[in-house]
Amino acid sequence: MAGSEGWWNTVEAVDLRGTGRQDLVLGNLGLNSFLRASANEPVRMYVNDFSHGGTGNVQQIITSYRNGVAYPLAGRDELLASIPSLKGKFPSYQAFGASRIEDILPSSDLAQAQVREARTFASAVALNNGNGTFTLRPLPAEAQFAPIYASLAGDFDGDGKTDLLVAGNLYGVAPVLGRYDASYGLMLRGDGAGNFAAVERDQSNVAIDGEVRDLKQVRGPVGQRLIAVARNNDRLLLLRASSPTVGGRAATQTAPGGTGARAARSLPPRAVPDGRSTSSHPPRKP
């Protein structure tokens, strides 16, 4: 798909419209970030051995546009730490100033660098047109508050149309960006045509803390439908659906046996906008 280059964290194939064709649920960085990307002003990553250390190590320098000019994300201290040869060129912060990457590195180094571009950071669905092409459709604004790393599709409200549960967050980032922690999981109600609307938390009762990396539908010991939530550096979390449909309209938070994982937390009757389910994986271009 032209212009679909992004920082994709998860790609899940699922029939969202009942057409018999596999659509894609795509988790991206989101739009609540210092970084902005567009077709005309992409975020770029330059990869090369800019320090010429001869050790095979490479440096990655990210640039983004501000007022029509692309500047490196890293400041003087960070760049000098990885490329010591720049100390002579930029002995002071004043000398470094608002330098562009073209001002910082020799054109020969930039010409030899691998360059990767991101043109969209919006999490989205890609709808299968049935002719080998897809139409990219961004998810609602509420789904853009943080990076999405996991998704689950299913009929969560029992209306016969596929809904989505999405979650993510990312804590290990540079201070200049600030950690991405605005997501507590989000239920998205589908209309059966590939459009989705956010469900308020007091209706869905979805409140997932932490860095979510996977969502899976599982069955409990007595046949109850559960959603397993895998999080970085945390116990397994279970959401228990109380409705007979996948995902259910009521859920609970719990930990299997109360050991290791947190006991399953049940979502109230309105919790999941009446029921569904999918899952997640690492970054790539659709």
Side-chain angles (χ1 to χ4, degrees), residues 14-24 125-130 133-135 137 160-162 191-196:
V14 59
D15 182 359
L16 297 173
R17 299 167 294 164
T19 61
R21 300 190 296 265
Q22 295 290 285
D23 304 303
L24 303 175
V125 293
L127 303 179
N128 191 329
N129 297 322
T133 67
F134 289 79
T135 298
R137 184 174 295 175
K161 299 168 184 175
T162 301
D191 66 357
N195 302 300
F196 294 88

Side-chain angles (χ1 to χ4, degrees), residues 45-52 57-61 82-83:
M45 177 185 287
Y46 296 81
V47 183
N48 195 7
D49 179 11
F50 296 115
S51 65
H52 300 288
N57 294 329
V58 298
Q59 289 76 46
Q60 301 172 346
I61 300 178
S82 59
I83 311 175

Side-chain angles (χ1 to χ4, degrees), residues 9-267:
N9 304 308
T10 173
V11 178
E12 291 300 325
V14 59
D15 182 359
L16 297 173
R17 299 167 294 164
T19 61
R21 300 190 296 265
Q22 295 290 285
D23 304 303
L24 303 175
V25 182
L26 307 170
N28 208 343
L29 178 68
L31 302 179
N32 186 20
S33 173
F34 172 80
L35 295 172
R36 295 285 188 269
S38 68
N40 295 326
E41 297 186 344
V43 168
R44 293 189 177 95
M45 177 185 287
Y46 296 81
V47 183
N48 195 7
D49 179 11
F50 296 115
S51 65
H52 300 288
T55 60
N57 294 329
V58 298
Q59 289 76 46
Q60 301 172 346
I61 300 178
I62 294 174
T63 66
S64 65
Y65 279 83
R66 286 291 178 274
N67 299 318
V69 180
Y71 297 105
L73 180 63
R76 174 182 175 274
D77 291 344
E78 187 177 346
L79 284 174
L80 266 58
S82 59
I83 311 175
S85 60
L86 292 177
K87 290 180 180 178
K89 188 173 184 178
F90 300 109
S92 66
Y93 294 103
Q94 182 178 7
F96 185 79
S99 298
R100 303 167 303 157
I101 192 168
E102 295 85 356
D103 304 322
I104 298 170
L105 298 170
S107 58
S108 57
D109 283 0
L110 293 177
Q112 295 173 12
Q114 293 187 47
V115 182
R116 297 290 182 265
E117 296 184 339
R119 299 179 183 277
T120 178
F121 283 146
S123 292
V125 293
L127 303 179
N128 191 329
N129 297 322
N131 58 1
T133 67
F134 289 79
T135 298
L136 199 64
R137 184 174 295 175
L139 291 174
E142 295 88 341
Q144 310 296 346
F145 292 167
I148 290 178
Y149 279 86
S151 65
L152 190 64
D155 182 8
F156 296 122
D157 54 14
D159 66 354
K161 299 168 184 175
T162 301
D163 309 306
L164 295 173
L165 174 63
V166 298
N169 289 331
L170 177 63
Y171 297 167
V173 298
V176 67
L177 294 175
R179 75 179 198 170
Y180 300 105
D181 58 3
S183 172
Y184 290 90
L186 179 67
M187 191 66 62
L188 297 169
R189 179 182 287 116
D191 66 357
N195 302 300
F196 294 88
V199 177
E200 295 291 338
R201 193 181 306 170
D202 63 349
Q203 293 182 320
S204 71
N205 199 34
V206 172
I208 304 170
D209 197 15
E211 293 180 286
V212 177
R213 291 298 176 266
D214 209 353
L215 299 167
K216 294 291 186 186
Q217 180 194 344
V218 298
R219 283 192 177 275
V222 293
Q224 70 269 45
R225 290 180 174 84
L226 304 173
I227 295 174
V229 182
R231 299 171 294 171
N232 276 352
N233 304 312
D234 209 336
R235 294 171 295 174
L236 181 69
L237 177 69
L238 296 180
L239 302 179
R240 182 170 60 244
S242 63
S243 93
T245 56
V246 178
R249 43 192 323 162
T252 317
Q253 203 165 312
T254 202
T259 306
R262 193 191 295 178
R265 184 185 72 191
S266 197
L267 305 180

